[in-house]
Amino acid sequence: MPVEIPKDSWPGSVNTVTLGATGDQGGSRTSTVTIGGEQSLPFMHFENPTPHRPVIAMEVAAARPADWSAVLLEAWGSTLDDPAVWARACEDAGADLIVLQFGLKGSDDGPVSAEFAVEVVKEVMDSTGLPLVVLGPGQAEIDNSILVPIADATKGERIVLGLCEEGNYRTIVAAAMANDHLVLGKTPMDVNLAKQLNILMTDMGLPLDRIVMDPTTGALGYGIEYGYSVMERLRLAALQGDAMTQLPMLVTPGVETWKTKESKVGAGIPDEWGEWAERGVNWETLTAVALIEAGADVVVLRHPQSLVRVRAAIAELTASETA
Amino acid sequence: MALSGIQIYKMLPQTNCKECGFATCLAFAMKLAAKQAELDGCPYVTEESKAALAESATPPIRLVTLKGKAGEAKAGNEVVLFRHEKTFYNRPGVFIRVLDTEDDEVIENKVRTGSSYSVDYVGMELRIDGFAVEAASGDRTRLATVVEALRASTGLPLILVGSDPAVLSGGLDKLEGEAPLIMGADTSNWEAMADLAAGRGAALGIRGGSIEELAQLSEKIKEKGVEDLVLYPAVDSMSASLALNTQIRRLALKNFRPLGYPTIAFAAASGDQGRESLMAAQAICKYAGFVVIDTFAPELIYPLLVLRENIFTDPQKPIQVLPALYEINSPGRSDPVLVTTNFSITYFSVANEVEGAGLPAWLLVTDAEGMSVLTAWAAGKFDAESIAKAVKQFGVADKVDQKWIVLPGHTAVLSGELEEELPDWVIKVGPREAVDLPGYMRQVLN
Ligand code: SF4
């Protein structure tokens, strides 16, 4: 029985964005990462091949994280004491990108400072050749006080700077524009809020191929369905041709899942939850893969075993084989 | 696809004779479209129209119900490709596979722990749905023995997996009065399998490596009178499986009847638990009606069942928690009262942060019709009055000596009114985001 396969053909596509710059391109990275470019829903190879596979970023904290799950502390060991060593370990483990996350603390438990921040970024860039995403602690004034000097000190590297939020995007966008960097915009699980922020950022003159968006997701069990559906809707809108939704999407299953009780806590929990470390990894990988199926271009993870598993799933999903 | 009132009207006699109890044929048609009337109400509908209307009332994906000695697993009746378009209806049945070549003790163990497993999530009890028994021995008697033993420890629905109808019938002998799934028919054995399924009242799975093969087989088998069919796109990679499942769902929703059946996914048999978990996750998100896995491990089953619950939640009806005064980390009389709404995600983010930080607190959850704090505040469902009402309703004043009540940061504007409503209380304004609560509680409340 001949059956006509229903193929969607969409007028729009996702922007192609390249992160990082090599020596030839005015930076110092040994490799760059290109994401986006999709002309179809995720992995519909019978319509179009996946132009660039989703990539995995590993999160590295600029100062040893005080509140991470013991499962993560055990998995990484003393690596966590030095962001440069940690970033190198992520590269060796097969990460595509490093997300360098600053908190409120700098060296010796003092407040984070511009000097500390620039120094950490330089050390990390010396130890790994991967492109970087650099995120401030998420408080407007402090973010600006470290991201601007970082942007100045790394001109031409095409680092992704963030987070740009509605109340706090101007300074970061300006710093990115002045120094050939990219930005990450984050909005709280809503299609219209995402579009609005993208309009505000592009209105400043930042080209669309230098913006990545984080539409925000919840962890499995804690609102993943909201993030999942917002991402599916954003991707459908992008393919339908709405320019302000055509940005590649970065989401953070690592941050979200490792703060849930299921992943963070090992004692005094029900037997039905099973073994702690494996549960934590499942929580992170299931969240990541569900979001990749919903259109994520970058997933930011924390556990090295999650990296291995999600990487294998991505390889399988992007293999050129068609049904 | 469901017809509109106008489309139905065109199939009615259009004489407005009123015998159906409605003033006009159009009024009757509108009621039919809204499923508030039965076609039998009109004595004059032609046979031709009856047939057309019956066809249009058939769901694009047939509902298939597997029945065990105790319990059912339903799949099908889905109407959309994306959950935000409406909702996904039938949670895919999660089945654990056992091989009849495994030791009796191993099987027994897996089945007992699996069928008694139950885990609480947001006040719901999540469980697996049944077992798949694979006739790997190729021996009719052995399969029968294993199925019989299984029935002694569980009543959950079963799937019998094998390619030889004669062998599978041995297992079916032990399942009288049930509706198991036989898995399954392929190009070589479909006739005998169809006869077997028809004779035993079983649903029949069809195995095929392509859309064409599946469609062709389902048509032939349907002609033999078996209609409870399940499609198994038998491909190896996650990518090919996603493609086939998507194509089947798309075609089914376009009313292509040969593919209008639920699908089954086997995440089993890979021997790699990481891969198995992610294949199962994909199957839950992308269209499987039944998911078979090998591993019964709580640390895998729990997240899979939660994923299923999340993806199959009706987007129009967010999960709510019961308005009440919740205790976090055994609070005492001098611990603060935090206020939030009964939107489950809001509740769980707050509870999770405070609980995870090990800080004792009372969490007062108001009835905001399942809306988040900001939405509820904007809609007038979360205001000083409703908070004060909840304080009284749940007798909060009797639980604490130090009357500190903490408002979500987004609703700081309510503090003035709340002071008037609750004159004995000290009103504090907390952070906007739940994630900042532990820091706030340590710094401000101590
Ligand atoms: S009974 Fe039939 S013909 Fe008469 S008004 Fe009703 S729908 Fe029309």
PDB file of all heavy atoms in Angstrom, chain B residues 320-347:
ATOM      1  N   GLN B 320      -3.512  21.220  40.929  1.00  0.00           N
ATOM      2  CA  GLN B 320      -3.608  22.087  42.097  1.00  0.00           C
ATOM      3  C   GLN B 320      -3.287  21.291  43.353  1.00  0.00           C
ATOM      4  O   GLN B 320      -3.451  20.092  43.378  1.00  0.00           O
ATOM      5  CB  GLN B 320      -5.025  22.646  42.219  1.00  0.00           C
ATOM      6  CG  GLN B 320      -5.475  23.357  40.970  1.00  0.00           C
ATOM      7  CD  GLN B 320      -6.850  23.968  41.100  1.00  0.00           C
ATOM      8  OE1 GLN B 320      -7.382  24.090  42.197  1.00  0.00           O
ATOM      9  NE2 GLN B 320      -7.425  24.363  39.988  1.00  0.00           N
ATOM     10  N   VAL B 321      -2.856  22.019  44.366  1.00  0.00           N
ATOM     11  CA  VAL B 321      -2.741  21.363  45.661  1.00  0.00           C
ATOM     12  C   VAL B 321      -3.876  21.889  46.526  1.00  0.00           C
ATOM     13  O   VAL B 321      -4.450  22.942  46.257  1.00  0.00           O
ATOM     14  CB  VAL B 321      -1.366  21.607  46.338  1.00  0.00           C
ATOM     15  CG1 VAL B 321      -0.278  20.865  45.603  1.00  0.00           C
ATOM     16  CG2 VAL B 321      -1.057  23.082  46.435  1.00  0.00           C
ATOM     17  N   LEU B 322      -4.190  21.134  47.546  1.00  0.00           N
ATOM     18  CA  LEU B 322      -5.292  21.490  48.420  1.00  0.00           C
ATOM     19  C   LEU B 322      -4.930  22.723  49.246  1.00  0.00           C
ATOM     20  O   LEU B 322      -3.873  22.755  49.867  1.00  0.00           O
ATOM     21  CB  LEU B 322      -5.536  20.300  49.358  1.00  0.00           C
ATOM     22  CG  LEU B 322      -6.974  19.946  49.674  1.00  0.00           C
ATOM     23  CD1 LEU B 322      -7.772  19.735  48.396  1.00  0.00           C
ATOM     24  CD2 LEU B 322      -6.986  18.718  50.564  1.00  0.00           C
ATOM     25  N   PRO B 323      -5.791  23.750  49.275  1.00  0.00           N
ATOM     26  CA  PRO B 323      -5.523  24.875  50.166  1.00  0.00           C
ATOM     27  C   PRO B 323      -5.481  24.350  51.601  1.00  0.00           C
ATOM     28  O   PRO B 323      -6.366  23.600  52.009  1.00  0.00           O
ATOM     29  CB  PRO B 323      -6.727  25.799  49.971  1.00  0.00           C
ATOM     30  CG  PRO B 323      -7.290  25.422  48.636  1.00  0.00           C
ATOM     31  CD  PRO B 323      -7.019  23.951  48.475  1.00  0.00           C
ATOM     32  N   ALA B 324      -4.444  24.693  52.338  1.00  0.00           N
ATOM     33  CA  ALA B 324      -4.279  24.188  53.704  1.00  0.00           C
ATOM     34  C   ALA B 324      -3.078  24.865  54.334  1.00  0.00           C
ATOM     35  O   ALA B 324      -2.368  25.636  53.681  1.00  0.00           O
ATOM     36  CB  ALA B 324      -4.049  22.673  53.696  1.00  0.00           C
ATOM     37  N   LEU B 325      -2.854  24.562  55.607  1.00  0.00           N
ATOM     38  CA  LEU B 325      -1.629  25.011  56.264  1.00  0.00           C
ATOM     39  C   LEU B 325      -0.674  23.831  56.277  1.00  0.00           C
ATOM     40  O   LEU B 325      -0.922  22.833  56.944  1.00  0.00           O
ATOM     41  CB  LEU B 325      -1.928  25.483  57.699  1.00  0.00           C
ATOM     42  CG  LEU B 325      -0.705  26.017  58.461  1.00  0.00           C
ATOM     43  CD1 LEU B 325      -0.197  27.317  57.847  1.00  0.00           C
ATOM     44  CD2 LEU B 325      -1.050  26.231  59.940  1.00  0.00           C
ATOM     45  N   TYR B 326       0.413  23.921  55.512  1.00  0.00           N
ATOM     46  CA  TYR B 326       1.361  22.818  55.403  1.00  0.00           C
ATOM     47  C   TYR B 326       2.540  23.041  56.347  1.00  0.00           C
ATOM     48  O   TYR B 326       2.957  24.176  56.561  1.00  0.00           O
ATOM     49  CB  TYR B 326       1.876  22.693  53.957  1.00  0.00           C
ATOM     50  CG  TYR B 326       0.821  22.217  52.991  1.00  0.00           C
ATOM     51  CD1 TYR B 326      -0.043  23.118  52.375  1.00  0.00           C
ATOM     52  CD2 TYR B 326       0.683  20.862  52.687  1.00  0.00           C
ATOM     53  CE1 TYR B 326      -1.027  22.687  51.487  1.00  0.00           C
ATOM     54  CE2 TYR B 326      -0.299  20.412  51.802  1.00  0.00           C
ATOM     55  CZ  TYR B 326      -1.147  21.337  51.199  1.00  0.00           C
ATOM     56  OH  TYR B 326      -2.112  20.899  50.326  1.00  0.00           O
ATOM     57  N   GLU B 327       3.039  21.935  56.884  1.00  0.00           N
ATOM     58  CA  GLU B 327       4.179  22.037  57.794  1.00  0.00           C
ATOM     59  C   GLU B 327       5.448  21.627  57.055  1.00  0.00           C
ATOM     60  O   GLU B 327       5.491  20.571  56.441  1.00  0.00           O
ATOM     61  CB  GLU B 327       3.981  21.097  58.999  1.00  0.00           C
ATOM     62  CG  GLU B 327       2.715  21.405  59.779  1.00  0.00           C
ATOM     63  CD  GLU B 327       2.552  20.523  61.008  1.00  0.00           C
ATOM     64  OE1 GLU B 327       3.472  19.717  61.301  1.00  0.00           O
ATOM     65  OE2 GLU B 327       1.511  20.658  61.674  1.00  0.00           O
ATOM     66  N   ILE B 328       6.458  22.486  57.106  1.00  0.00           N
ATOM     67  CA  ILE B 328       7.724  22.136  56.468  1.00  0.00           C
ATOM     68  C   ILE B 328       8.800  22.015  57.544  1.00  0.00           C
ATOM     69  O   ILE B 328       9.006  22.944  58.336  1.00  0.00           O
ATOM     70  CB  ILE B 328       8.122  23.197  55.429  1.00  0.00           C
ATOM     71  CG1 ILE B 328       7.005  23.302  54.382  1.00  0.00           C
ATOM     72  CG2 ILE B 328       9.443  22.842  54.766  1.00  0.00           C
ATOM     73  CD1 ILE B 328       7.271  24.299  53.299  1.00  0.00           C
ATOM     74  N   ASN B 329       9.463  20.909  57.576  1.00  0.00           N
ATOM     75  CA  ASN B 329      10.519  20.630  58.553  1.00  0.00           C
ATOM     76  C   ASN B 329      10.045  20.839  59.990  1.00  0.00           C
ATOM     77  O   ASN B 329      10.724  21.494  60.790  1.00  0.00           O
ATOM     78  CB  ASN B 329      11.764  21.492  58.261  1.00  0.00           C
ATOM     79  CG  ASN B 329      12.390  21.140  56.916  1.00  0.00           C
ATOM     80  OD1 ASN B 329      12.406  19.979  56.515  1.00  0.00           O
ATOM     81  ND2 ASN B 329      12.893  22.142  56.206  1.00  0.00           N
ATOM     82  N   SER B 330       8.877  20.286  60.322  1.00  0.00           N
ATOM     83  CA  SER B 330       8.320  20.331  61.680  1.00  0.00           C
ATOM     84  C   SER B 330       8.443  21.699  62.342  1.00  0.00           C
ATOM     85  O   SER B 330       9.216  21.885  63.282  1.00  0.00           O
ATOM     86  CB  SER B 330       9.011  19.302  62.589  1.00  0.00           C
ATOM     87  OG  SER B 330       9.284  18.127  61.891  1.00  0.00           O
ATOM     88  N   PRO B 331       7.675  22.682  61.890  1.00  0.00           N
ATOM     89  CA  PRO B 331       7.792  24.035  62.451  1.00  0.00           C
ATOM     90  C   PRO B 331       7.250  24.114  63.871  1.00  0.00           C
ATOM     91  O   PRO B 331       6.409  23.314  64.267  1.00  0.00           O
ATOM     92  CB  PRO B 331       6.921  24.876  61.504  1.00  0.00           C
ATOM     93  CG  PRO B 331       5.929  23.901  60.945  1.00  0.00           C
ATOM     94  CD  PRO B 331       6.642  22.587  60.860  1.00  0.00           C
ATOM     95  N   GLY B 332       7.739  25.097  64.609  1.00  0.00           N
ATOM     96  CA  GLY B 332       7.295  25.321  65.984  1.00  0.00           C
ATOM     97  C   GLY B 332       6.545  26.642  66.115  1.00  0.00           C
ATOM     98  O   GLY B 332       6.244  27.296  65.108  1.00  0.00           O
ATOM     99  N   ARG B 333       6.302  27.053  67.350  1.00  0.00           N
ATOM    100  CA  ARG B 333       5.433  28.223  67.593  1.00  0.00           C
ATOM    101  C   ARG B 333       6.104  29.551  67.270  1.00  0.00           C
ATOM    102  O   ARG B 333       5.467  30.587  67.236  1.00  0.00           O
ATOM    103  CB  ARG B 333       4.947  28.213  69.049  1.00  0.00           C
ATOM    104  CG  ARG B 333       4.214  26.914  69.413  1.00  0.00           C
ATOM    105  CD  ARG B 333       3.427  27.058  70.709  1.00  0.00           C
ATOM    106  NE  ARG B 333       2.358  28.050  70.625  1.00  0.00           N
ATOM    107  CZ  ARG B 333       1.137  27.796  70.137  1.00  0.00           C
ATOM    108  NH1 ARG B 333       0.841  26.599  69.681  1.00  0.00           N
ATOM    109  NH2 ARG B 333       0.230  28.736  70.118  1.00  0.00           N
ATOM    110  N   SER B 334       7.405  29.538  67.045  1.00  0.00           N
ATOM    111  CA  SER B 334       8.050  30.816  66.722  1.00  0.00           C
ATOM    112  C   SER B 334       8.543  30.845  65.274  1.00  0.00           C
ATOM    113  O   SER B 334       9.306  31.724  64.895  1.00  0.00           O
ATOM    114  CB  SER B 334       9.211  31.064  67.681  1.00  0.00           C
ATOM    115  OG  SER B 334      10.104  29.981  67.606  1.00  0.00           O
ATOM    116  N   ASP B 335       8.103  29.873  64.488  1.00  0.00           N
ATOM    117  CA  ASP B 335       8.538  29.865  63.086  1.00  0.00           C
ATOM    118  C   ASP B 335       7.570  30.668  62.210  1.00  0.00           C
ATOM    119  O   ASP B 335       6.396  30.824  62.544  1.00  0.00           O
ATOM    120  CB  ASP B 335       8.671  28.426  62.595  1.00  0.00           C
ATOM    121  CG  ASP B 335       9.876  27.744  63.230  1.00  0.00           C
ATOM    122  OD1 ASP B 335      10.935  28.401  63.283  1.00  0.00           O
ATOM    123  OD2 ASP B 335       9.753  26.602  63.714  1.00  0.00           O
ATOM    124  N   PRO B 336       8.083  31.193  61.084  1.00  0.00           N
ATOM    125  CA  PRO B 336       7.279  32.101  60.262  1.00  0.00           C
ATOM    126  C   PRO B 336       6.198  31.379  59.462  1.00  0.00           C
ATOM    127  O   PRO B 336       6.294  30.184  59.227  1.00  0.00           O
ATOM    128  CB  PRO B 336       8.316  32.705  59.309  1.00  0.00           C
ATOM    129  CG  PRO B 336       9.379  31.666  59.199  1.00  0.00           C
ATOM    130  CD  PRO B 336       9.434  30.997  60.536  1.00  0.00           C
ATOM    131  N   VAL B 337       5.195  32.145  59.054  1.00  0.00           N
ATOM    132  CA  VAL B 337       4.139  31.639  58.180  1.00  0.00           C
ATOM    133  C   VAL B 337       4.371  32.235  56.787  1.00  0.00           C
ATOM    134  O   VAL B 337       4.331  33.453  56.619  1.00  0.00           O
ATOM    135  CB  VAL B 337       2.745  32.060  58.701  1.00  0.00           C
ATOM    136  CG1 VAL B 337       1.656  31.570  57.739  1.00  0.00           C
ATOM    137  CG2 VAL B 337       2.520  31.534  60.101  1.00  0.00           C
ATOM    138  N   LEU B 338       4.657  31.377  55.826  1.00  0.00           N
ATOM    139  CA  LEU B 338       4.848  31.833  54.447  1.00  0.00           C
ATOM    140  C   LEU B 338       3.523  31.643  53.715  1.00  0.00           C
ATOM    141  O   LEU B 338       2.824  30.657  53.941  1.00  0.00           O
ATOM    142  CB  LEU B 338       5.925  31.009  53.742  1.00  0.00           C
ATOM    143  CG  LEU B 338       7.234  30.771  54.497  1.00  0.00           C
ATOM    144  CD1 LEU B 338       8.159  29.869  53.674  1.00  0.00           C
ATOM    145  CD2 LEU B 338       7.932  32.089  54.793  1.00  0.00           C
ATOM    146  N   VAL B 339       3.185  32.571  52.825  1.00  0.00           N
ATOM    147  CA  VAL B 339       1.913  32.469  52.108  1.00  0.00           C
ATOM    148  C   VAL B 339       2.171  32.277  50.623  1.00  0.00           C
ATOM    149  O   VAL B 339       3.040  32.939  50.046  1.00  0.00           O
ATOM    150  CB  VAL B 339       1.080  33.755  52.271  1.00  0.00           C
ATOM    151  CG1 VAL B 339      -0.294  33.574  51.636  1.00  0.00           C
ATOM    152  CG2 VAL B 339       0.940  34.110  53.716  1.00  0.00           C
ATOM    153  N   THR B 340       1.422  31.374  50.014  1.00  0.00           N
ATOM    154  CA  THR B 340       1.476  31.264  48.553  1.00  0.00           C
ATOM    155  C   THR B 340       0.139  30.724  48.035  1.00  0.00           C
ATOM    156  O   THR B 340      -0.794  30.522  48.815  1.00  0.00           O
ATOM    157  CB  THR B 340       2.674  30.421  48.078  1.00  0.00           C
ATOM    158  OG1 THR B 340       2.845  30.611  46.686  1.00  0.00           O
ATOM    159  CG2 THR B 340       2.459  28.936  48.356  1.00  0.00           C
ATOM    160  N   THR B 341       0.063  30.498  46.723  1.00  0.00           N
ATOM    161  CA  THR B 341      -1.209  30.044  46.132  1.00  0.00           C
ATOM    162  C   THR B 341      -1.193  28.531  45.932  1.00  0.00           C
ATOM    163  O   THR B 341      -0.169  27.874  46.107  1.00  0.00           O
ATOM    164  CB  THR B 341      -1.450  30.694  44.759  1.00  0.00           C
ATOM    165  OG1 THR B 341      -0.523  30.135  43.825  1.00  0.00           O
ATOM    166  CG2 THR B 341      -1.297  32.190  44.815  1.00  0.00           C
ATOM    167  N   ASN B 342      -2.336  28.003  45.505  1.00  0.00           N
ATOM    168  CA  ASN B 342      -2.448  26.548  45.370  1.00  0.00           C
ATOM    169  C   ASN B 342      -2.117  26.032  43.974  1.00  0.00           C
ATOM    170  O   ASN B 342      -2.477  24.914  43.623  1.00  0.00           O
ATOM    171  CB  ASN B 342      -3.847  26.083  45.783  1.00  0.00           C
ATOM    172  CG  ASN B 342      -4.925  26.549  44.824  1.00  0.00           C
ATOM    173  OD1 ASN B 342      -4.825  27.630  44.264  1.00  0.00           O
ATOM    174  ND2 ASN B 342      -5.952  25.749  44.630  1.00  0.00           N
ATOM    175  N   PHE B 343      -1.447  26.829  43.153  1.00  0.00           N
ATOM    176  CA  PHE B 343      -0.917  26.334  41.880  1.00  0.00           C
ATOM    177  C   PHE B 343       0.213  25.354  42.244  1.00  0.00           C
ATOM    178  O   PHE B 343       1.114  25.706  43.003  1.00  0.00           O
ATOM    179  CB  PHE B 343      -0.375  27.519  41.092  1.00  0.00           C
ATOM    180  CG  PHE B 343       0.315  27.164  39.805  1.00  0.00           C
ATOM    181  CD1 PHE B 343      -0.241  26.241  38.931  1.00  0.00           C
ATOM    182  CD2 PHE B 343       1.508  27.769  39.457  1.00  0.00           C
ATOM    183  CE1 PHE B 343       0.384  25.936  37.734  1.00  0.00           C
ATOM    184  CE2 PHE B 343       2.141  27.472  38.270  1.00  0.00           C
ATOM    185  CZ  PHE B 343       1.582  26.554  37.410  1.00  0.00           C
ATOM    186  N   SER B 344       0.133  24.134  41.724  1.00  0.00           N
ATOM    187  CA  SER B 344       1.041  23.107  42.226  1.00  0.00           C
ATOM    188  C   SER B 344       2.511  23.472  42.054  1.00  0.00           C
ATOM    189  O   SER B 344       3.327  23.234  42.924  1.00  0.00           O
ATOM    190  CB  SER B 344       0.759  21.769  41.565  1.00  0.00           C
ATOM    191  OG  SER B 344       1.223  21.772  40.249  1.00  0.00           O
ATOM    192  N   ILE B 345       2.848  24.071  40.919  1.00  0.00           N
ATOM    193  CA  ILE B 345       4.253  24.399  40.687  1.00  0.00           C
ATOM    194  C   ILE B 345       4.725  25.454  41.682  1.00  0.00           C
ATOM    195  O   ILE B 345       5.828  25.372  42.227  1.00  0.00           O
ATOM    196  CB  ILE B 345       4.464  24.917  39.246  1.00  0.00           C
ATOM    197  CG1 ILE B 345       3.964  23.901  38.233  1.00  0.00           C
ATOM    198  CG2 ILE B 345       5.915  25.253  39.013  1.00  0.00           C
ATOM    199  CD1 ILE B 345       4.585  22.542  38.319  1.00  0.00           C
ATOM    200  N   THR B 346       3.868  26.443  41.933  1.00  0.00           N
ATOM    201  CA  THR B 346       4.211  27.472  42.903  1.00  0.00           C
ATOM    202  C   THR B 346       4.425  26.829  44.266  1.00  0.00           C
ATOM    203  O   THR B 346       5.436  27.044  44.937  1.00  0.00           O
ATOM    204  CB  THR B 346       3.063  28.513  42.995  1.00  0.00           C
ATOM    205  OG1 THR B 346       2.815  29.014  41.700  1.00  0.00           O
ATOM    206  CG2 THR B 346       3.415  29.639  43.922  1.00  0.00           C
ATOM    207  N   TYR B 347       3.454  26.021  44.645  1.00  0.00           N
ATOM    208  CA  TYR B 347       3.550  25.357  45.940  1.00  0.00           C
ATOM    209  C   TYR B 347       4.838  24.538  46.047  1.00  0.00           C
ATOM    210  O   TYR B 347       5.567  24.627  47.020  1.00  0.00           O
ATOM    211  CB  TYR B 347       2.335  24.448  46.171  1.00  0.00           C
ATOM    212  CG  TYR B 347       2.539  23.480  47.311  1.00  0.00           C
ATOM    213  CD1 TYR B 347       2.363  23.896  48.624  1.00  0.00           C
ATOM    214  CD2 TYR B 347       2.966  22.176  47.063  1.00  0.00           C
ATOM    215  CE1 TYR B 347       2.598  23.020  49.675  1.00  0.00           C
ATOM    216  CE2 TYR B 347       3.204  21.298  48.115  1.00  0.00           C
ATOM    217  CZ  TYR B 347       3.020  21.722  49.416  1.00  0.00           C
ATOM    218  OH  TYR B 347       3.267  20.868  50.441  1.00  0.00           O
TER     219      TYR B 347
END
